[in-house]
């Protein structure tokens, strides 16, 4: 789990750095930097989305995944966790929950998190997650400068999610084929694009409620 631990630490260090230096930059600079980061997030999502080889699977996954996610209301439950953390640490910042939710989604959704965790578990090679850690660390600086301390707590689901995949790597790897990873990545790319749009304030897409689409994409490839 070395890669996941490094990722965990990188987010915390980046988050603390952003909080410490946020007052060093005028609000307009913070806003412009966040807009730039949002565009970068959208670009990353677009690159991932274009990996699809069967757009119908992506569409089907989003529809079915959305129905499942909305029924469970994953977004509300994730926000509830954020509010519990906010209350526990007596935080007054209204952006605490938004920072926790948005950062958690950005850091957890994507093929680097999945394939990096599997590679770390199977081959004891954390190189993918180390590269991801550098990206997440830089992103957490910008996120925390805008959203505050809530971003630091996004490191917890990252550690649990990636660490869990690392521990289950031998089981997961035998079932994941390249087409499955491609369609799951493409579907995740659209979710990351939605996160970027949300951060910019262009939309209010319930990204968390679409997370089941990632699993549906894998099932869709297996069935077809």
């Amino acid at each position: 789990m070395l890669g996941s631990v490094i990722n965990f630490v990188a987010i915390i260090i980046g988050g603390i750095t952003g909080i410490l230096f946020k007052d060093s930059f005028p609000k307009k600079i913070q806003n412009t930097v966040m807009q730039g980061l949002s565009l970068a997030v959208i670009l990353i999502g677009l690159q991932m989305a274009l990996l699809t080889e069967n757009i119908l699977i992506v569409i089907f996954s989003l529809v079915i995944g959305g129905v499942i996610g909305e029924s469970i209301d994953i977004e509300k439950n994730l926000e509830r966790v954020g509010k519990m953390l906010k209350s526990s640490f007596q935080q007054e910042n209204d952006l605490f929950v938004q920072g926790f939710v948005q950062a958690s989604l950005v850091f957890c959704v994507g093929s680097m998190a999945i394939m990096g965790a599997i590679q770390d578990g199977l081959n004891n090679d954390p190189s993918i997650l180390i590269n991801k850690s550098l990206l997440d660390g830089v992103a957490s600086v910008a996120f925390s400068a805008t959203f505050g301390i809530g971003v630091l707590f996004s490191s917890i689901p990252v550690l649990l999610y990636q660490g869990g995949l690392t521990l289950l790597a031998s089981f997961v790897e035998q079932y994941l084929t390249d087409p499955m990873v491609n369609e799951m990545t493409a579907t995740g790319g659209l979710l990351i694009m939605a996160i970027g749009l949300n951060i910019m304030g262009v939309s209010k897409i319930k990204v968390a409620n679409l997370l089941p689409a990632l699993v549906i994409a894998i099932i869709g490839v297996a069935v077809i």
Side-chain angles (χ1 to χ4, degrees), residues 39 41 48 51 54 56-57 83 86 99 148 166 201:
L39 291 174
V41 169
M48 292 169 58
L51 292 176
N54 192 332
L56 291 178
I57 289 181
K83 289 177 181 177
K86 176 182 176 182
T166 296

Side-chain angles (χ1 to χ4, degrees), residues 130-190:
I130 290 176
N131 290 330
K132 178 178 180 292
S133 299
L134 294 174
L135 297 174
D136 290 353
V138 172
S140 65
V141 173
F143 280 142
S144 60
T146 299
F147 297 116
I149 196 173
V151 174
L152 272 70
F153 290 93
S154 67
S155 61
I156 298 174
V158 169
L159 180 63
L160 295 176
Y161 173 62
Q162 292 179 175
L165 283 176
T166 296
L167 295 176
L168 295 172
S170 59
F171 174 78
V172 174
E173 192 267 346
Q174 61 182 318
Y175 293 105
L176 279 181
T177 64
D178 288 340
M180 287 179 179
V181 173
N182 283 344
E183 299 311 321
M184 179 181 61
T185 299
T187 304
L190 290 179

